[in-house]
Amino acid sequence: MVRTTVRELSLGLAMIFMTMSGVQSLAAQDRQLTGRVVSEQGVPLNGAAISVVGTQIGTFSNQSGQFSMTVPPGPVRIRATFIGYRAADVVVEANQSTLTIQMQIDVLNLDAVVVTGQVTSVARRNSANAVSQVNAEQLTRTPAASIEQQLTGKVAGADIQSNSGAPGGGLQIRLRGVSSIIGSATPLYVIDGVVVSDATIQSGTNVIQRASGGAFRSGLASTQDNSANRIADLNPADIESIEILKGASAAAIYGSKASAGVILINTKRGRAGETDFTMTQRVGGSRMSNQLGARTFDTLEDAVAVFGTVAADHWQAGRVFDHEQELAGGTALSHETALSARGGTESTRFFASGLLKRDGGVITNTGYEKESLRLNIDQSLGSRAQLRLNMNGVHSSTQRGFTNNDNRSVSYWMALTGTPSFVDLRRRADGSFPVNPFANSNPLQTAALAVNDEDVWRTIASADLTIDAYSSNQHTVNLLLNGGVDYFSQKNNVFSPGELQFEPLDGNTGTTFQGNATSLNLNYTASLVHRLTPSSGLFSATSSLGVQIEDRDIDIMRVVNEDLIPGQTNIDAGTSPGVFQEQTRVKDRGVFAQEELLLLDERLLLVGGVRMDRSSNNADTEEYFTYPKFAASFRFPDFIPGTIDEMKLRAAWGQTGNQPQFGQKFSNLNVGNMSGLQTLRIATTTAATDLRPERQREIEAGVDLTLFDRRGILEVTYFNRRLTDLLLNRALPPSTGFNTAIFNGGVMQSNGWEVALQVIPLQSENLSWNSRITFSTVDATIEELPVPPFAAGGFGTALGGFQIANGKSPTQIVGRDTVAVANDPRCDGPCAVGDRILATIGDSNPDFRMGISNEFRRGNLSLYGLIDWQKGGNSVNLTGWLLDLSQNAADFTDPCTASTCAAGESVGQYRARVYPGRVSTIWVEDASFVKVREVTLGYDVPQELVSRVWNDARHLRFNLSGRNLLTFTDYTGMDPEVSNFGQRAIGRNIDVAPYPPSRSFWLSVDIGF
């Protein structure tokens, strides 16, 4: 393995910089060039970037589209770029001093810039990788709680799934399928060059719900707490664009943390010219979009037969209570106020924004609030250096209530599954709540009095310094320095007062919990970039070399107490305290190098690079692991004139890694006590002495077609990835003193297709139609498994659980099934019709995901809609099973029409008869769906009318929007998109009493001045 030190590399970079900076460029007599940048309609473009191709000379257009800069003697090529417009190149002759550059709208984003390395980029039309890019307009058409929601249905190859309907986010993005079994499952997020945290720190509700076990404090940090991930802190309105690196070749620039993909977020920058202000005011509301319902009992005899004699005290003929409506049936009001300013001079440019946001939750006493401030500054330091500063402060507070699995009937829908519709749970006139004799809790009382609050303060800041170390007509050498910090503190407060019905049942009345967590991410990067542009114009070359240092530190303190003094909430007001701490400290070091060649009149792109990483999470903290990449693309202009304007063939190969998670290499010490004395006990899990990152090798190939005079673009990609050195658990003999060991072993293979089609069927001055379709599919198989098959999530095979087995899909669901034919090939030996066998009965991975969006514009009116379609995939509907256990499902008495039903049997009776025989397929359901994700109707007030009211106003727009308006599915649970276990690689799609889904409506007013 290659071994070196960051200090040696830093010294080497410094020596190169000093050498280059000592060389003076050979300057001849320069000249002044002035010009103007306008759109096709002659409208001035403010903030367009103007540069001399092959040099570092550049400037920006002002409010009037005008610019001025000093250029070298002789003919030069001037390039103008502006977000949303095609790049425009103009050759300026030796004696020319003025020019006008006209730019065309780039509806297809062919000239958008995409990353190729840590510090390099290329025009999308030349990219050799399938890199998806979403711009600001696509992100903010319809309001959403987090950026993951706004990406849903817009990226081919991205499976974006909500964990629940709770306010404040809580989604998981899976790029090109499963990339690990027990390792990290989430993409790497990079904001303005800073690797930021997307940690999910559990809220602590498990101390009340006991989802991970019946004992107090069991599983204090349960993954079933329905917690939000921290990427939800970002303000989507601050984002200029998002680039998603799905393949190993593209993501290899981030090495050992990029196996699950990389999401690069670029925030908005300032522009030279007069300051533009934009204000957005939104008001809206949300309503529950689906209910499970409950059985109604027409006779007292039926009620007593199900719920016992106590039912006679509550049943009345014709009296029915809709507990779901009482709990979550109102309209949750929301509002959002956003203000931004963008402007500056050629030397100093800025973007500033502020946000006040409140999203109401449909369940009583739930909601999400966020306040955000951002300031981005671009400062020229003379003619040879540029400084970029980015500062973002966020405060958020969340009330998510008590949902998902538990073992005490505290969770709202867990209690409701056993609560009949004839019992009255509403608050009495004196403020008290009736006891629910059919469950351990009254969910209306729990929602009104229990507390599950989260408060987060976060700061993300970075600085980028670019120094023009050397510049000539053919060579430029830039030194780039980047440093960033991501810090947040999270406070959780969970409180269950003693008056709640379930509290005295364990002998301790009242529970309080306080969690305090801090997270600190530090990033430092230093790199050199050399660009060669020979005067012959035959090729251009970009070479880069750099070092990167990352430190991550999470410190979590949890304090819990029970048996509280009545009326007290303080953590010291109980008799059974407990204090717990978790610390995570990781140090990563990396070096990278890359070479890019653009040849044959920019038709051929060749890219080669390598990244070497070491980490304190590995067993050997000094060992560097190497991640190479190669990619190439070739463009065929005018391939079929009039039909295929251009065809591009591309191929890429690369490797990425997935580090062991913190603590996996340690043999932990567990704190306890014996007869009042403090004790330490070695945990029963150890790790292999060579524990190292998982390794992913991927090959992708594709073709891109530009169609019908740039009225359409088709991108087709095939990928094949092979994951080796998977992180796994294996059993150890008792003689070792340990039960299990974490080690590297096994192979997983996956492949799939991604298709993106964007067309403009209509485009004129008053009428346009822009349509986009994304399609993706992925299949994965465990090819080698050095351990016996093992469970990977769920609640066992009786209901359907996840199992990792050789030759099978990593997301397969295994359960009991009925043999349909004699000697079924799934049987272990001879079997007869009707026998029960353990078999694969489903898979959480969908057959495909598809997004279809259309935008129509006629005059000042616009209409936009997005449909998200998932075909296939299964969910385990434990909520339905719980309703059946209580004979309380809404359809329990419906006639059973299946061929296997007995005469006169209801569907509930059929399920009750068949399930004890362990036929798991009853509750493993098809999770296919079609959702109307986004709809927005907009109207731009004519400029002449706006000017009459306010002379300084640039635009005024009204939007009426909706999100998740309609859902079409055969799934009988609350929502086919659900995950009781939150952010994890395997074991998702478990439906246990989740927060219900909702549809939202918004009225927005956008004003620019």
Side-chain angles (χ1 to χ4, degrees), residues 236-427:
D238 288 345
I239 297 173
E240 188 74 75
S241 66
I242 297 179
E243 295 178 54
I244 301 177
L245 312 184
K246 296 170 287 187
S249 175
I253 57 179
Y254 289 95
S256 63
K257 295 184 294 297
S259 186
V262 182
I263 297 180
L264 305 176
I265 300 174
N266 305 300
T267 60
K268 295 178 179 177
R269 317 298 314 172
R271 296 175 182 167
E274 296 181 15
T275 301
D276 293 335
F277 294 91
T278 301
M279 185 178 74
T280 299
Q281 180 62 58
R282 294 189 175 108
V283 292
S286 301
R287 291 189 64 86
M288 182 169 51
S289 59
N290 189 32
Q291 293 183 226
L292 295 177
R295 179 180 175 182
T296 57
F297 293 84
D298 297 327
T299 68
L300 176 60
E301 290 75 18
D302 288 342
V304 171
V306 174
F307 292 103
T309 57
V310 69
D313 298 330
H314 299 272
W315 183 88
Q316 292 183 22
R319 188 176 74 163
V320 176
F321 297 96
D322 190 337
H323 302 311
E324 291 180 289
Q325 279 292 313
E326 293 161 359
L327 180 64
T331 299
L333 299 180
S334 303
H335 61 82
E336 180 178 322
T337 302
L339 178 66
S340 65
R342 173 182 278 183
T345 65
E346 292 187 9
S347 59
T348 304
R349 299 172 299 281
F350 70 91
F351 171 81
S353 72
L355 173 71
L356 295 173
K357 181 182 180 68
R358 161 72 185 178
D359 286 341
V362 294
I363 294 179
T364 303
N365 290 332
T366 62
Y368 174 69
E369 296 182 0
K370 178 162 60 182
E371 302 90 42
S372 172
L373 290 173
R374 172 174 291 278
L375 177 61
N376 291 349
I377 298 175
D378 293 64
Q379 178 65 52
S380 298
L381 305 177
S383 61
R384 302 179 69 86
Q386 293 280 336
L387 177 65
R388 302 205 319 176
L389 300 175
N390 310 286
M391 292 160 283
N392 184 206
V394 182
H395 171 238
S396 65
S397 56
T398 312
Q399 303 82 40
R400 295 173 74 88
F402 295 85
T403 56
N404 284 26
N405 181 45
D406 77 22
N407 284 301
R408 300 178 75 191
S409 291
V410 173
S411 174
Y412 307 136
W413 267 263
M414 289 289 286
L416 288 180
T417 57
T419 301
S421 59
F422 54 74
V423 64
D424 187 359
L425 301 180
R426 296 174 298 176
R427 189 194 293 260

Side-chain angles (χ1 to χ4, degrees), residues 475-685:
H475 298 272
T476 61
V477 178
N478 292 335
L479 172 65
L480 293 86
L481 304 174
N482 171 271
V485 58
D486 174 21
Y487 173 83
F488 71 80
S489 64
Q490 175 178 317
K491 179 179 180 181
N492 290 95
N493 177 28
V494 177
F495 173 61
S496 175
E499 62 198 272
L500 292 179
Q501 179 182 329
F502 61 84
E503 267 298 331
L505 299 180
D506 61 356
N508 294 306
T509 303
T511 304
T512 188
F513 169 91
Q514 293 285 338
N516 290 279
T518 60
S519 172
L520 177 63
N521 279 24
L522 296 174
N523 301 260
Y524 312 97
T525 305
S527 56
L528 278 174
V529 179
H530 171 255
R531 292 183 176 87
L532 170 63
T533 53
S535 57
S536 63
L538 294 177
F539 73 95
S540 63
T542 302
S543 309
S544 57
L545 169 69
V547 297
Q548 190 169 41
I549 299 173
E550 298 175 49
D551 293 338
R552 309 191 300 277
D553 190 335
I554 298 179
D555 193 352
I556 305 173
M557 295 287 294
R558 296 185 172 100
V559 186
V560 63
N561 210 340
E562 278 196 315
D563 199 18
L564 301 177
I565 299 172
Q568 295 296 306
T569 63
N570 288 355
I571 203 73
D572 61 349
T575 63
S576 183
V579 181
F580 309 87
Q581 184 177 16
E582 296 178 28
Q583 289 183 302
T584 300
R585 293 178 179 174
V586 182
K587 295 182 180 295
D588 297 334
R589 304 294 183 261
V591 296
F592 56 88
Q594 184 164 297
E595 182 69 29
E596 302 172 27
L597 293 173
L598 198 55
L599 309 98
L600 305 179
D601 195 23
E602 298 190 353
R603 295 186 183 185
L604 174 63
L605 175 68
L606 300 175
V607 180
V610 63
R611 165 111 182 191
M612 294 182 292
D613 278 351
R614 73 180 190 188
S615 174
S616 60
N617 277 350
N618 302 329
D620 185 346
T621 60
E622 298 297 318
E623 183 177 0
Y624 275 86
F625 293 88
T626 304
Y627 304 95
K629 59 175 284 187
F630 301 98
S633 69
F634 190 88
R635 298 188 298 117
F636 298 88
D638 300 319
F639 189 70
I640 303 179
T643 304
I644 301 178
D645 308 330
E646 181 173 289
M647 180 175 72
K648 180 178 70 176
L649 300 179
R650 49 184 169 80
W653 174 90
Q655 295 186 5
T656 54
N658 193 24
Q659 294 177 1
Q661 298 193 67
F662 179 84
Q664 287 183 331
K665 74 173 186 178
F666 300 127
S667 298
N668 295 319
L669 295 175
N670 295 333
V671 179
N673 71 80
M674 183 178 295
S675 301
L677 299 176
Q678 287 289 94
T679 63
L680 288 176
R681 178 175 58 86
I682 297 177
T684 58
T685 299

Side-chain angles (χ1 to χ4, degrees), residues 826-961:
R826 299 175 300 171
C827 298
D828 185 13
C831 59
V833 175
D835 286 354
R836 303 286 191 260
I837 60 171
L838 187 65
T840 300
I841 59 175
D843 198 306
S844 65
N845 183 55
D847 299 334
F848 65 78
R849 287 293 294 261
M850 192 170 184
I852 306 170
S853 65
N854 286 277
E855 183 176 17
F856 302 89
R857 291 183 179 271
R858 181 171 179 81
N860 294 335
L861 277 174
S862 65
L863 176 63
Y864 163 78
L866 171 65
I867 294 175
D868 188 16
W869 178 14
Q870 173 179 297
K871 175 64 171 65
N874 297 100
S875 285
V876 181
N877 185 6
L878 266 72
T879 312
W881 173 66
L882 292 170
L883 283 165
D884 257 15
L885 284 182
S886 302
Q887 301 182 46
N888 202 25
D891 67 344
F892 195 87
T893 58
D894 291 352
C896 185
T897 59
S899 59
T900 52
C901 296
E905 195 173 37
S906 72
V907 293
Q909 291 170 334
Y910 167 75
R911 293 192 297 253
R913 174 174 61 85
V914 174
Y915 178 72
R918 295 297 188 267
V919 179
S920 313
T921 52
I922 291 178
W923 299 114
V924 178
E925 300 186 33
D926 183 1
S928 299
F929 64 82
V930 175
K931 290 193 176 187
V932 180
R933 287 287 187 191
E934 300 177 358
V935 174
T936 296
L937 175 65
Y939 177 70
D940 290 290
V941 179
Q943 184 60 47
E944 58 271 16
L945 182 58
V946 175
S947 300
R948 291 178 188 175
V949 179
W950 187 1
N951 189 52
D952 292 330
R954 292 184 294 106
H955 73 264
L956 174 62
R957 179 176 175 85
F958 294 93
N959 286 327
L960 182 61
S961 304

Side-chain angles (χ1 to χ4, degrees), residues 27-92:
Q29 186 175 358
D30 296 332
R31 58 195 169 108
Q32 197 70 15
L33 178 68
T34 61
R36 191 164 180 259
V37 184
V38 297
S39 67
E40 289 180 278
Q41 291 75 32
V43 178
L45 297 180
N46 175 27
I50 318 300
S51 63
V52 179
V53 177
T55 74
Q56 293 298 301
I57 300 172
T59 186
F60 294 89
S61 61
N62 62 19
Q63 190 81 13
S64 302
Q66 297 174 337
F67 66 91
S68 176
M69 62 180 177
T70 302
V71 301
V76 294
R77 189 195 304 181
I78 303 298
R79 176 168 295 166
T81 58
F82 191 67
I83 294 175
Y85 286 78
R86 302 183 192 178
D89 282 12
V90 178
V91 175
V92 177

Side-chain angles (χ1 to χ4, degrees), residues 654-909:
Q655 295 186 5
T656 54
N658 193 24
Q659 294 177 1
Q661 298 193 67
F662 179 84
Q664 287 183 331
K665 74 173 186 178
F666 300 127
S667 298
N668 295 319
L669 295 175
N670 295 333
V671 179
N673 71 80
M674 183 178 295
S675 301
L677 299 176
Q678 287 289 94
T679 63
L680 288 176
R681 178 175 58 86
I682 297 177
T684 58
T685 299
T686 186
T689 57
D690 63 343
L691 197 67
R692 58 194 181 275
E694 299 175 321
R695 181 169 292 271
Q696 176 180 271
R697 183 275 300 153
E698 183 178 84
I699 299 173
E700 74 170 40
V703 57
D704 299 345
L705 304 177
T706 306
L707 308 169
F708 313 120
D709 193 21
R710 292 179 67 125
R711 296 280 290 271
I713 181 171
L714 173 65
E715 300 170 330
V716 180
T717 303
Y718 171 80
F719 67 88
N720 180 282
R721 60 168 50 167
R722 183 178 177 86
L723 294 108
T724 58
D725 290 340
L726 291 172
L727 293 166
L728 298 172
N729 291 312
R730 66 181 172 196
L732 295 176
S735 59
T736 64
F738 296 96
N739 293 336
T740 58
I742 299 175
F743 74 109
N744 294 95
V747 176
M748 181 164 60
Q749 184 91 9
S750 62
N751 59 81
W753 290 89
E754 297 167 0
V755 180
L757 172 65
Q758 185 176 2
V759 294
I760 309 170
L762 295 174
Q763 187 175 33
S764 65
E765 186 174 347
N766 293 317
L767 180 63
S768 66
W769 174 15
N770 192 343
S771 182
R772 180 173 175 81
I773 298 174
T774 62
F775 172 90
S776 59
T777 180
V778 59
D779 294 300
T781 305
I782 301 294
E783 289 198 340
E784 297 179 21
L785 191 67
V787 295
F790 60 91
F795 295 93
T797 56
L799 283 161
F802 291 83
Q803 185 185 75
I804 303 299
N806 194 34
K808 301 291 186 178
S809 164
T811 51
Q812 70 165 340
I813 301 173
V814 174
R816 297 288 177 179
D817 200 1
T818 304
V819 174
V821 294
N823 297 321
D824 190 303
R826 299 175 300 171
C827 298
D828 185 13
C831 59
V833 175
D835 286 354
R836 303 286 191 260
I837 60 171
L838 187 65
T840 300
I841 59 175
D843 198 306
S844 65
N845 183 55
D847 299 334
F848 65 78
R849 287 293 294 261
M850 192 170 184
I852 306 170
S853 65
N854 286 277
E855 183 176 17
F856 302 89
R857 291 183 179 271
R858 181 171 179 81
N860 294 335
L861 277 174
S862 65
L863 176 63
Y864 163 78
L866 171 65
I867 294 175
D868 188 16
W869 178 14
Q870 173 179 297
K871 175 64 171 65
N874 297 100
S875 285
V876 181
N877 185 6
L878 266 72
T879 312
W881 173 66
L882 292 170
L883 283 165
D884 257 15
L885 284 182
S886 302
Q887 301 182 46
N888 202 25
D891 67 344
F892 195 87
T893 58
D894 291 352
C896 185
T897 59
S899 59
T900 52
C901 296
E905 195 173 37
S906 72
V907 293
Q909 291 170 334

